[in-house]
Amino acid sequence: MRFRPFKLKALLPYLSAALIYPVIALITSDQKLLKFIDAMTITGFVFLILGIIGNLTRHGDFDITEFIARRSLKAGDKKTFAAFKDDKEQKRKDSANYPFLTGIILIAVSALLAVIFY
């Protein structure tokens, strides 16, 4: 897996969204660190799954499904599948998989915290 043009500015919204649930678990729990680590692990796996689905989409695995759905919804659209696929590849060329990277970061940090404190 390649992380194409990595930009920290684009990763920060994903990390901040991923940390909402762990921070809430940290604030509201009696066993703060344990619940924080558990919440980070759960959120990390959710983002990892979203990243895997995003990776499948980036590689064009759902292009034919999207083409058929768009064509059935727009009756006047006469674009061929080859032209549709070329347009999609141009859009995907410089996209990075930030949800996958966010999931890896959260799981690694939660594993590190678990090893250090437990």
Side-chain angles (χ1 to χ4, degrees):
M1 161 141 325
R2 293 176 297 186
F3 293 103
R4 293 191 176 104
F6 174 76
K7 296 175 187 162
L8 184 63
K9 190 176 182 180
L11 179 66
L12 289 178
Y14 288 100
L15 282 174
S16 61
L19 288 174
I20 291 172
Y21 173 59
V23 168
I24 291 172
L26 177 73
I27 293 170
T28 61
S29 177
D30 292 335
Q31 299 175 342
K32 294 188 181 302
L33 189 59
L34 180 65
K35 294 298 180 180
F36 181 69
I37 292 170
D38 289 346
M40 277 184 53
T41 304
I42 292 168
T43 307
F45 278 117
V46 167
F47 271 80
L48 198 65
I49 291 169
L50 290 174
I52 290 170
I53 293 170
N55 197 26
L56 292 173
T57 303
R58 272 185 197 79
H59 284 113
D61 292 343
F62 302 117
D63 281 352
I64 190 71
T65 306
E66 183 181 354
F67 175 74
I68 291 170
R70 285 183 187 252
R71 194 158 190 178
S72 66
L73 294 175
K74 294 180 182 177
D77 193 12
K78 300 296 180 192
K79 186 186 262 188
T80 64
F81 179 66
F84 177 79
K85 189 160 178 83
D86 288 340
D87 290 344
K88 295 297 281 186
E89 285 178 9
Q90 288 297 327
K91 289 180 184 177
R92 289 192 285 259
K93 188 168 77 172
D94 292 330
S95 64
N97 196 349
Y98 293 111
F100 188 76
L101 183 60
T102 303
I104 290 174
I105 290 170
L106 287 177
I107 291 171
V109 169
S110 66
L112 183 69
L113 287 175
V115 167
I116 290 173
F117 292 108
Y118 291 105

